[in-house]
Amino acid sequence: MTIPCCGPKCSGFCAFISVWGIIMLAVLGAFFYVHAPSLAEDLPINMPLWRKQDYNYNYVKDLYRKAAVNCWIAAGIYVATFILSCIMLKINLRQSNSS
Amino acid sequence: MGSLYRSEEMASCQLFLQAEAAYACVSELGELGLVQFRDLNPDVNAFQRKFVNEVRRCEEMERKLRFLEKEIRKDEIPMLDTGDNPDAPAPREMIDLEATFEKLENEMKEVNANAEALKRNYLDLTELKHILRKTQTFFDEAMSDQGMTEESIVLLGEEAVKTSGQPLRLGFVAGVILRERIPPFERMLWRACRGNVFLRQTEILTPLEDPVTGDRVHKSVFIIFFQGDQLKSRVKKICEGFRATLYPCPETQAERREMSLGVTTRIEDLNTILSQTQDHRHRVLVAAAKDIKVWFIKVRKIKAVYHTLNMLNLDVTQKCLISECWCPIRDLEKIQMALRRGTERSGGSVPSILNRMETKEQPPTYNCTNKFTKVFQDIVDSYGVAGYREVNPAPFTIVSFPFLFSLMFGDAGHGTLMLLAAIAMVVFEKRILRQKSDNEIWNMFFDGRYIILLMGAFSLYAGLMYNDIFSKSINIFGSVWHPTSGEFSAEIIKTHKDLTLDPTNDTDYRGVPYPFGMDPAWQLSLNKIKWLNSFKMKISIIFGVGQMFFGVVLSLQNHRFFKDSISIFCEFLPQVIFLTCIFGYLIVLILHKWIAIDATDAGCAPSLLIGLINMFLLNYPEEPCSSRVPPGQKGLQSFLLILIILCVPWLLVLKPYILKRRYQATQQKSSSRLGTSTEDGKSAEDAIDGAIQDDSHGQYEEELNLLEIVVHQCIHTIEYCLGCISHTASYLRLWALSLAHAELSEVLWNMVFRVALKVDGYLGVISIYILFTPWACLTIAILLLMEALSAFLHTLRLHWIEFQSKFYKGDGYLFDPFSFDKIIESRADEV
């Protein structure tokens, strides 16, 4: 078929990282969505802006939701990466079998 | 399968083998792999042993096989590894094998020699072909002008005039030389012949193959014109010196064309012959490659059997071979059956005899392990092989090693990753075993797959207890810290940067602790580390003292097994009392502090370390909280202190004293026996017999070296007493490494992943996608590989030093049976 852009080890490694990324980012997104307080320090809170809003909790809730969506979209991109690396793996296997 | 608690019972046996059946019996024992032969001819030179000729023949066969293997590898033919395990062939078969190998080797050598000769011929013909082609141009130039070119007139001016004016008849030689050698060659010709020879050269475009090395070299065709015989001989000598090959080149063009045609046809013929030779070689090698692995195994087995037979002694009657060996008592039946099988196979009539012997030597230590327990036994054996029938720490290590590891590595996320990696290795273990990798590091990890599995599982549990998953806590059951809006109103929260939750009232703390593990609220608090430090230090001490106490109890088991009642009374008891009075009491204090003291008394909570020091200094200060001190504590502590102080001389003095008294008592007994019976000659013999009998009974009757015993006991006492204290402190590394791990994990998250999460908007998606990979790679590299290795090392140290020093002697040697499997595996690693 086509020339693989990375060898068997690289594609295997990419596949593994992609799987980890999918699972972990999906779970992380879920935790952001339920407003987990452990993740509060990871939010991009703009303190002066929040003070102006008189520390309204809805600001934080909005940030949580945005972070959750970000994580899920990143998980989706990792799904694409996973499919790509699986294809690379298959090409590599076929090449090593035929040669 | 025997028990792993103590090593197997071994028996020293004598083996009587009939001379004809010896080979078959030893090969059966090799297949079984349960007998360790002792070398009965240790002073005999290798060249003087009985079966030295057979061993030599085996080495010859191995050499031939290695040669064949090299040729097979050169041609890149795959060697079939069927995983077959053929039996050691009978001595008659050895001759057949030798003949086969000889034939194969000769064939290969012949084929190789022929190929080389053919290639040389081919090279010569190719060079000749090039010469014929290139010299054509030279001669054209030379003949085109009947007069010479400028150079030749100048060179040969005088002589040319001197002769009768005819066109000069020039002699010439033509040849081929390496391209690199042309410049020095030219210079040499110029100097030696004083410029009277004329060299023309041109390059051969295609590189030619050197027949010996197989390299491709660049060569050039040259032709040298000269006049006269002297110059001819000089030129020939120089060509020889520079290893240029000269070829006879005909002068006329017609002859050259004919020769050229002849050469071309010969080259074609040679090509066909060469390819046929290569085909033949390939066929022979392919046929050999099918069986070569099996042959290797067979030859190695034969050699191993003959090495073992060399260790046996020949009987006086020359008909029977005697050997001494160690074997496990439990497997004596199997060994008898193997011997019977061997005798039947060789067609011998007299059965082989296995005779148990009594011996004073320390038997080897043999622990039956399977693929799961093997790695734990290896860990224990790396420090020192257990003494014969000593308590084996390995079965306890199976649980305590992963447990202590998990205390230092407690992170559920990392534990999960480790567990998954180990499960992958275990599930695919058959496939990976078949592939037989050469990479040492991978083999090390693969051999330890079961211990990694356990470590991962235990770490997952410890991570849930510490509530630490990739440095974040998860709230499963609902945190028990819930500040109500009454006390912490919006105004207070907005104006204060830090707020303290009070566990004593009912508003902030529910009153019932979080059911499983650490409360997730701690992750957000500023004093998380202070709280966790106190907690982890205390549990480290509890587990450490527990493991050390267990070690001392194991020493009791050893004393009871070896019927050493003095040691129970003089060593075990004081050790236990010492350990319990100091550190058992410390644990009681810890538990009391956890259970009885509430947050309301936080200001007056007793300091454990200061309290322990004060116990030894008998210092009970009058302080504001002295009313909190339980009433009998001072008295109890003083009593414990007296016990502790008594234990030291008990441990130090009592055992040497008792040994000395015993020795004196036996001395008196034997001297009184001698004294009363010296009148009677007969009873003098009895007395001597009695003395000899006493000698064989134990160590007491030997020359009692009192100084040695006292020094040994002194060392033991100091080691134990100081060791108790230092080892207990050493267990605090469980806290230290777990703190380091948690901090590393947190720093990695904060510095790498949080940067991605802090990016606002849709750019955040890209940053999360990009930064996840480096975060994952660093987690694997730093936390999973480096930290795990570090925790592994510290756990190993805790087991080897702190735990095993309480009971382990480790002065044995491993049981090394004569086993074909071991020999073939070890040789496979070599080759």
Side-chain angles (χ1 to χ4, degrees), chain B residues 12-27:
Chain B
S12 173
C13 302
Q14 248 184 346
L15 214 53
F16 293 92
L17 300 168
Q18 199 192 11
E20 294 100 53
Y23 182 89
C25 288
V26 172
S27 93

Side-chain angles (χ1 to χ4, degrees), chain A residues 24 38 42-44 70 78 81, chain B residues 473 523 749 754 758 769 773:
Chain A
M24 183 156 164
S38 303
D42 295 324
L43 293 174
N70 280 355
Y78 267 113
T81 316
Chain B
S473 304
Q523 199 219 328
W749 181 281
R754 187 174 284 182
K758 287 263 190 197
Y769 175 73
T773 306

Side-chain angles (χ1 to χ4, degrees), chain B residues 322-388:
Chain B
I322 310 177
S323 83
E324 280 178 32
C325 57
W326 291 107
C327 50
I329 291 186
R330 205 165 39 88
D331 293 320
L332 275 178
E333 265 304 308
K334 282 198 213 153
I335 299 176
Q336 298 272 24
M337 279 187 47
L339 285 175
R340 222 170 294 144
R341 270 202 307 270
T343 337
E344 275 171 39
R345 241 181 48 183
S346 68
S349 50
V350 181
S352 316
I353 303 174
L354 184 73
N355 189 14
R356 272 182 76 163
M357 277 192 328
E358 292 296 319
T359 176
K360 284 254 208 74
E361 267 186 42
Q362 192 196 23
T365 316
Y366 174 48
N367 286 308
C368 273
T369 54
N370 56 22
K371 65 183 176 183
F372 176 71
T373 52
K374 182 172 183 313
V375 63
F376 297 101
Q377 189 63 50
D378 283 343
I379 285 181
V380 169
D381 285 341
S382 303
Y383 183 63
V385 180
Y388 179 59

Side-chain angles (χ1 to χ4, degrees), chain A residues 13 16-17 20-21 24-25 28 31-32 37-39 41-44 54-55 63 70-71 73-74 77-78 81, chain B residues 417 470 472-474 494 523-524 749 753-754 757-758 760-761 764-765 768-769 772-773 775-777 779-780:
Chain A
F13 179 71
F16 165 67
I17 295 272
W20 184 0
M24 183 156 164
L25 288 173
L28 196 62
F31 278 128
F32 270 122
S38 303
L39 298 168
E41 292 162 328
D42 295 324
L43 293 174
D54 200 26
Y55 298 118
L63 278 181
N70 280 355
C71 281
I73 299 178
I77 304 182
Y78 267 113
T81 316
Chain B
L417 288 171
F470 291 124
K472 297 281 169 210
S473 304
I474 55 174
K494 284 176 198 170
Q523 199 219 328
L524 301 164
W749 181 281
F753 204 51
R754 187 174 284 182
L757 293 169
K758 287 263 190 197
D760 209 358
V765 177
I768 293 178
Y769 175 73
F772 177 79
T773 306
W775 177 82
C777 293
T779 300
I780 295 181

